[in-house]
Amino acid sequence: MDFRSVLTTCPYCGVGCNFIFQVMDGRIIATLPAKTGPANEGSLCIKGWNVHEFVQHKDRLTKPLLRQGGSLQETTWDQAFDYAASELNRLKETYGPESVAFAGSARCPNEDTYVFQKFARVIFGHNHVDHCARLCHAPTVAGLASAFGSGAMTNSFAELAHAKCVFVIGSNTTVSHPIAGMYLMRVRGNGGRLIVADPRKTQIAQLANLHVQQNLGTDVALINGLMHVIYKNGWHNQAFIESRTENFPALVEMIEPFTPERTEAITGVAAADILKIAEWYAKSETSAIVYVLGITQHTTGTDNVKSLANLAMLCGQVGRPSTGVNPIRGQNNVQGACDMGALPNVLPGYQYVTVPENVEKFEKAWNAKLSGTPGLTMVEQIEAVHQGKVKGLVVFGANPAVSYPDSNRVQTALEKLEFLLVMDIFPTPTTAFAHVVLPAASFAETEGTFSNSERRVQRVRQAIAPIPGKTNWETLQELCTRMGYPMAYGSAEEIFNEMASLTPAYGGMSFPRLNEKGLCWPCPTPDHPGTRYLHQDRFTRGKGLFQAIDYRPPAETPDAEYPFWLTTGQLFSQYLTGTMTRRCPTLHHENPEVFIEIHPEDADRLHIDTGEKITTSSRRGSITAKAWVTERVRPGVVFIPMHFMENAANRLTNAALDPVTKTPEYKVCAVNLGKAA
Ligand code: SF4
């Protein structure tokens, strides 16, 4: 009997818990929390405890598939590589290199993603490479980078528990990031105050000192209202503003009209509560802001993030322990995939493609001709398919048929493609459209690193042999080699070392240094201890930039035909499109099917009972599901969880985009509602 314990990092959310796989005779038999995990300190949520259930699920793709006679048939790796390479070369020669786009994943290790974006750039000479951060935290990257110079969580998880005040906005933390929620649940016990602003009555909202339910899509108005009160009462930090920031007068002018009364009229939050939140946040010794997708998935996503940065700078609540602006990433490696340059405007390490020196640096290192023009974002790639500009798509670890907004329109685009290559661990609604499917290795079958929300780069370790026979970077480098750019990495460590040599924030990291507790970037030199919290003496950009942000309503609001607000979100036992969690029996048992939350007042008016089938429709599509009558939502609002492919909430959602980052407005649209026919 061969028995081993393998320490590795969770592949679900951006907290980055460490756990130990118990491996017997080449199979994982259990998952145990690691006491040494810096982000989880020996705790795990239900998803972490049961993670091994999906890794060895019978549905795993084990062999390449090739579309023949209208259906996908098993084939050899050799044939799949040859066919994929010849089709991608055909599109490149027939329509030009811009005709092929790349959509990656925030779930894969850094090393896989680094090779993926390099493949796109060196073979096609463009920057049409993006990944699912576009759908969640791209506004964080853009908003915080413009204000502070760095688009990442400023502080660490453990610090949150010791803040004297935590302002949680747009985050259902105990559900979407349960171990981060654990730290927030300690705030009150440690003598701090917990404030939650969320349109729904979530669990963390019920644990707070104060919960306010702002109208959907009114966050900028709420934050401007808080800043108005803080400034008028003289609770702002003048010394910090003078020494550490610029452009303050523009902010003062912008917040002037946001009186508590006007803010109440826009947001629905009582003026007295606005006053209380402003005082608690501004006057506490240490105040931290926590947010997730309730802030970013709006047409005002980047504005929302900039507004939170304004609030933190106004009160000097940044650059110290237990303060800051803290976006918790939805997926395990959103931070890492952004760091690796799987974005259409930056090379690894946020080195802008528009800066000629950056392009030259990577051209020299990679011995290839690169582009200085930003590429297409994920949603723009789909539009380019409809316009006939993009003919081929390479999808790695993503499920656009379900996860993108307005999924009916996405599926029509996938049908139109001349060539679709998908790499994934399971069959998905997206693989159903593919011409070639390459089976991927899961996180449990590879060496590498993930970078969690607190910028901590942690080791991922191989517990079992790759189920498809190859790791993902091996697959990608083989395809790249067959397309004429030889790659010959011998290990994930070799890839990491190349990436670190080109990425200043990772410059002092190496696998031996990461082995114990990982390191938080920036870590520029081999003797640097890593950086627990950012912007201590100066912001990354020098001075922090106040940006005057006015309130804009959501792109779609209720009317006579579609009189309800719809918002979407997560369940504690599910993850994204459910590809992994719905294959874990323990998790599936908790939340087996989709439901629609509706307030009792609305349910009474429409004669709807809990458990009854109802249909909800938007201008884009319809779904039918069981009603759940609950006061978690406000009257006039319905909520649908996002995980269920057969009843995807994204048939309803609006593909209206944030103008800066092109992130869709998943959190707000207008729907109607009635008993199912
Ligand atoms: Fe995994 Fe997140 Fe749960 Fe931790 S909190 S075990 S990282 S899903």
Side-chain angles (χ1 to χ4, degrees), residues 27 53-62 426-427 583:
R27 278 190 72 77
E53 291 181 4
F54 86 77
V55 171
Q56 297 163 145
H57 194 277
K58 62 177 177 42
D59 290 352
R60 281 289 302 273
L61 289 165
T62 57
F426 288 115
R583 288 187 169 92

Side-chain angles (χ1 to χ4, degrees), residues 38 101 226 260 339 343 355 370 412 508 527 575 663:
L226 294 173
D339 298 347
L343 295 169
V355 176
L370 304 177
T412 316
D527 56 352
Y575 179 75
T663 301

Side-chain angles (χ1 to χ4, degrees), residues 10 12-13 15-17 44-45 47-48 178-179:
C10 184
Y12 285 123
C13 87
V15 176
C17 298
L44 284 182
C45 79
K47 290 189 280 266
I179 299 301

Side-chain angles (χ1 to χ4, degrees), residues 167-241:
F167 179 34
V168 179
I169 181 164
S171 165
N172 188 358
T173 326
T174 53
V175 163
S176 56
H177 302 89
I179 299 301
M182 174 184 86
Y183 292 113
L184 297 185
M185 285 158 71
R186 292 178 187 164
V187 170
R188 292 184 67 175
N190 288 341
R193 287 191 178 109
L194 184 63
I195 305 162
V196 174
D198 196 306
R200 282 176 79 225
K201 219 177 269 178
T202 59
Q203 185 186 43
I204 193 72
Q206 291 169 54
L207 297 170
N209 297 75
L210 177 62
H211 171 217
V212 293
Q213 288 177 280
Q214 73 273 41
N215 293 329
L216 291 172
T218 61
D219 301 288
V220 166
L222 177 60
I223 300 160
N224 278 353
L226 294 173
M227 291 193 287
H228 175 102
V229 170
I230 290 166
Y231 183 65
K232 291 290 176 189
N233 283 283
W235 297 333
H236 56 292
N237 187 330
Q238 190 64 34
F240 185 92
I241 292 165

Side-chain angles (χ1 to χ4, degrees), residues 270-552:
D273 286 340
I274 293 168
L275 207 72
K276 206 181 282 182
I277 298 171
E279 182 170 10
W280 287 356
Y281 178 82
K283 291 169 85 173
S284 294
E285 189 189 332
T286 52
S287 291
I289 295 167
V290 170
Y291 72 88
V292 297
L293 307 185
I295 280 293
T296 56
Q297 288 181 332
H298 291 276
T299 45
T300 56
T302 306
D303 282 354
N304 290 347
V305 174
K306 288 177 179 175
S307 296
L308 290 173
N310 284 340
L311 176 63
M313 290 190 291
L314 179 70
C315 302
Q317 297 285 17
V318 58
R320 293 180 287 124
S322 300
T323 64
V325 182
N326 298 288
I328 311 178
R329 305 311 181 102
Q331 299 184 58
N332 57 320
N333 205 32
V334 175
Q335 187 64 60
C338 294
D339 298 347
M340 294 304 108
L343 295 169
N345 61 335
V346 290
L347 291 152
Y350 306 97
Q351 298 174 76
Y352 286 94
V353 298
T354 45
V355 176
E357 298 82 58
N358 295 341
V359 173
E360 277 166 33
K361 170 180 163 179
F362 280 86
E363 282 183 335
K364 203 167 154 203
W366 292 347
N367 190 27
K369 184 83 191 115
L370 304 177
S371 166
T373 305
L376 297 170
T377 63
M378 274 179 140
V379 180
E380 288 173 330
Q381 291 174 6
I382 294 298
E383 282 316 302
V385 176
H386 279 295
Q387 292 160 8
K389 293 177 185 161
V390 164
K391 304 281 188 185
L393 194 59
V394 179
V395 177
F396 174 34
N399 191 4
V402 183
S403 64
Y404 288 21
D406 196 355
S407 41
N408 289 338
R409 184 165 170 78
V410 175
Q411 291 176 20
T412 316
L414 297 180
E415 260 168 4
K416 279 187 181 171
L417 287 165
E418 285 192 23
F419 182 67
L420 174 62
L421 169 64
V422 183
M423 249 178 101
D424 213 316
I425 60 174
F426 288 115
T428 67
T430 302
T431 61
F433 292 93
H435 300 89
V436 172
V437 177
L438 298 177
S442 82
F443 81 107
E445 295 142 47
T446 192
E447 295 288 328
T449 55
F450 289 150
S451 305
N452 79 352
S453 297
E454 57 183 8
R455 297 164 281 104
R456 185 180 298 279
V457 185
Q458 305 190 99
R459 284 298 317 278
V460 174
R461 293 185 180 83
Q462 188 178 49
I464 56 173
I467 286 177
K470 294 177 190 300
T471 62
N472 300 329
W473 61 264
E474 285 172 329
T475 299
L476 290 164
Q477 83 168 3
E478 176 67 34
L479 188 55
C480 194
T481 301
R482 291 195 190 209
M483 290 195 66
Y485 181 94
M487 275 193 199
Y489 296 113
S491 66
E493 186 170 7
E494 197 182 315
I495 299 166
F496 184 92
N497 290 342
E498 177 183 306
M499 177 278 296
S501 73
L502 295 164
T503 305
Y506 282 66
M509 295 185 190
S510 60
F511 273 22
R513 285 199 76 198
L514 297 176
N515 269 343
E516 203 174 326
K517 286 180 179 278
L519 286 163
C520 295
W521 64 253
C523 176
T525 56
D527 56 352
H528 193 284
T531 306
R532 184 109 190 191
Y533 62 92
L534 298 176
H535 317 306
Q536 183 173 5
D537 299 316
R538 66 184 290 279
F539 286 100
T540 309
R541 71 180 293 278
K543 292 212 166 186
L545 179 67
F546 281 111
Q547 294 164 94
I549 308 291
D550 205 353
Y551 164 67
R552 282 186 288 124

